[in-house]
C-alpha cells in the first residue's frame, strides 16, 4: 500500500527558487472553507496567519472581517457560562466537531484527520537544500501535496472482483488501504471563486475537480510549511555567501603564500 504512487505535479513552490502563488492559496482556502471544513479541522492555523505576505497575503482589514464571519466558542464568563462571539485575528480556525467522538459518529466511525500538517513535505517539495536527502527518504510513508492531489482526484469504481466495505470509497492512492471513509469531496463547479470585476483574470481558472485539488493541496502545503519561502530565501543567501567566502579564502591563501619558495 498504497496501490498507486501519487502523481508528481509541478508546484509553484518546488525547487530552490519556488514560492507560493497567492491567488492559488486564496482559492485553496475558499475550497477548504466551503468543503473540507465541514469535516476536517485546521487547528494550527490562526486567522492572522492568513495575512502572511509570503502566504495568502490578505490585508489586515480582510483578515479582521474574515475572522468576524466565524462564531467562536469562548468562556466561561463571570457567570460561569460558555458563550459565542465573533472571531478575532488571534483565534484559530474553529473545528467542525467538539471532540473525537462527535467527529467519528458523524463519519461512520472514521476520524477525519486534522489537515494542518498533512502536507508536511515529501520528496521534492522539501526545499533547498534539504532535497539532497530525498534520495534517502523518498520511500517514506508521508503525505505531501502530490499525495493530497492524487487522493482527491483518485476516487474511482473498484476493479472487477474487488469488494469495498459498506461506507468506504475505493481509492488506489489512499496510503493505508484501498478504500477510505471519506466520500469524494469535490465535484466540478462545486466552489465558486470570487471575481473582482470583469477584466480580473486572477481567478480565471477552470472550476474542475482537477483544479480544486491542485489549489487546496497548495493551500494545505502552505498551512503545513508557512515558512517555506522564507527558508528557501535564507538557504539561497547562505549558499551565495558560502561561495563568495570560499573564493575569498582561496584568493587570500594564494596571496599569503605567494612568495614562499
Ligand atoms: C481523510 C483531505 C473533505 C471526511 C482524508 C485524507 C485527506 C483528506 C488527505 C486522508 C488522510 C490520510 O492519508 O490518512 C480532504 C480534503 C477535503 C476533504 C482536502 C476537501 C476538499 C472531506 C469531507 C469529509 C471528509 C467533506 C466528510 C464528509 C474524511 C474522513 C477521512 C478523511 C472521514 C478518514 C478516512 C479513513 O480513515 O478511512 N481527507 N478531505 N473529508 N476525510 Fe477528508
Amino acid at each position: 500500500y498504497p496501490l498507486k504512487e501519487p502523481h508528481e505535479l509541478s508546484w509553484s513552490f518546488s525547487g530552490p527558487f519556488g514560492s507560493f502563488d497567492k491567488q492559488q492559496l486564496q482559492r485553496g482556502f475558499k475550497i477548504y472553507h466551503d468543503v473540507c471544513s465541514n469535516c476536517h479541522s485546521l487547528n494550527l492555523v490562526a486567522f492572522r496567519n492568513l495575512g502572511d505576505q509570503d502566504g495568502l497575503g490578505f490585508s489586515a482589514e480582510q483578515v479582521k472581517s474574515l475572522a468576524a464571519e466565524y462564531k467562536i466558542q469562548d468562556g466561561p464568563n463571570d457567570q460561569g457560562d460558555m458563550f459565542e462571539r465573533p472571531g478575532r485575528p488571534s483565534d484559530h480556525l474553529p473545528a467542525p466537531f467538539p471532540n473525537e467522538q462527535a467527529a467519528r459518529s458523524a463519519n461512520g466511525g472514521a476520524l477525519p484527520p486534522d489537515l494542518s500538517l498533512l502536507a508536511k513535505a515529501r520528496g521534492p517539495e522539501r526545499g533547498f537544500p534539504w532535497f539532497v536527502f530525498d534520495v534517502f527518504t523518498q520511500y517514506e510513508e508521508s503525505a505531501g501535496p502530490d499525495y493530497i492531489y492524487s487522493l482527491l482526484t483518485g476516487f474511482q469504481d473498484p476493479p472487477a472482483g474487488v469488494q469495498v466495505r459498506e461506507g468506504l470509497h475505493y481509492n488506489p492512492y489512499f496510503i493505508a488501504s484501498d478504500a477510505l471513509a471519506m466520500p469524494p469531496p469535490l465535484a466540478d463547479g462545486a466552489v465558486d471563486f470570487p471575481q473582482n470585476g470583469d477584466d480580473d483574470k486572477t481567478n480565471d481558472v477552470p472550476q474542475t475537480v482537477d483544479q480544486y485539488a491542485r489549489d487546496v493541496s497548495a493551500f494545505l502545503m502552505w498551512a503545513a510549511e508557512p515558512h517555506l519561502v522564507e527558508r528557501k530565501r535564507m538557504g539561497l543567501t547562505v549558499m551565495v555567501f558560502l561561495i563568495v567566502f570560499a573564493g575569498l579564502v582561496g584568493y587570500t591563501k594564494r596571496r599569503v603564500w605567494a612568495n614562499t619558495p
Side-chain angles (χ1 to χ4, degrees):
Y1 290 117
L3 294 181
K4 288 193 185 163
E5 281 293 305
H7 304 285
E8 282 185 23
L9 278 69
S10 81
W11 301 97
S12 68
F13 44 80
S14 303
F17 304 103
S19 62
F20 289 117
D21 170 349
K22 272 191 181 50
Q23 295 300 329
Q24 180 171 48
L25 297 191
Q26 294 188 6
R27 294 196 299 270
F29 173 64
K30 178 103 180 3
I31 299 161
Y32 169 75
H33 173 278
D34 290 6
V35 183
C36 325
S37 69
N38 288 312
C39 302
H40 292 275
S41 56
L42 198 57
N43 289 336
L44 298 183
V45 177
F47 292 112
R48 64 184 157 76
N49 300 138
L50 303 175
D52 287 354
Q53 286 310 306
D54 284 337
L56 282 73
F58 284 133
S59 69
E61 280 312 308
Q62 282 174 308
V63 169
K64 250 189 191 160
S65 63
L66 216 148
E69 286 168 23
Y70 284 75
K71 295 252 173 301
I72 305 288
Q73 278 281 342
D74 205 346
N77 60 13
D78 291 349
Q79 284 76 45
D81 300 326
M82 301 301 284
F83 60 96
E84 271 189 351
R85 59 164 174 78
R88 296 192 284 252
S90 55
D91 287 318
H92 283 231
L93 301 190
F97 303 106
N99 53 46
E100 180 175 338
Q101 287 76 7
R104 281 190 190 275
S105 83
N107 286 285
L111 180 69
D114 181 75
L115 295 183
S116 309
L117 297 177
L118 211 75
K120 258 302 177 194
R122 155 194 164 115
E125 282 76 50
R126 291 209 305 166
F128 189 81
W130 304 114
F131 61 68
V132 172
F133 297 107
D134 288 339
V135 178
F136 307 105
T137 57
Q138 58 181 317
Y139 299 111
E140 224 174 60
E141 264 205 359
S142 54
D146 281 345
Y147 171 66
I148 298 173
Y149 168 86
S150 304
L151 187 77
L152 293 176
T153 54
F155 290 94
Q156 50 196 262
D157 292 332
V162 172
Q163 287 289 326
V164 173
R165 240 181 53 214
E166 173 92 25
L168 295 191
H169 308 268
Y170 183 77
N171 191 324
Y173 296 96
F174 185 42
I175 210 152
S177 175
D178 60 354
L180 74 168
M182 171 166 74
L186 298 169
D188 288 346
V191 180
D192 265 335
F193 296 132
Q195 294 287 327
N196 311 313
D198 287 342
D199 49 351
D200 173 43
K201 294 267 177 277
T202 46
N203 282 331
D204 224 356
V205 294
Q207 308 208 344
T208 56
V209 170
D210 179 86
Q211 185 66 38
Y212 292 149
R214 284 168 199 267
D215 293 348
V216 79
S217 305
F219 168 71
L220 292 175
M221 181 64 179
W222 168 80
E225 296 258 16
H227 301 298
L228 176 141
V229 176
E230 204 180 313
R231 189 156 44 75
K232 288 187 182 191
R233 214 181 284 137
M234 174 60 90
L236 217 65
T237 312
V238 168
M239 292 313 280
V240 169
F241 172 82
L242 285 178
I243 289 167
V244 171
F245 189 68
L248 274 175
V249 167
Y251 174 75
T252 311
K253 183 249 171 205
R254 290 176 70 97
R255 276 292 290 265
V256 167
W257 295 91
N259 297 325
T260 309

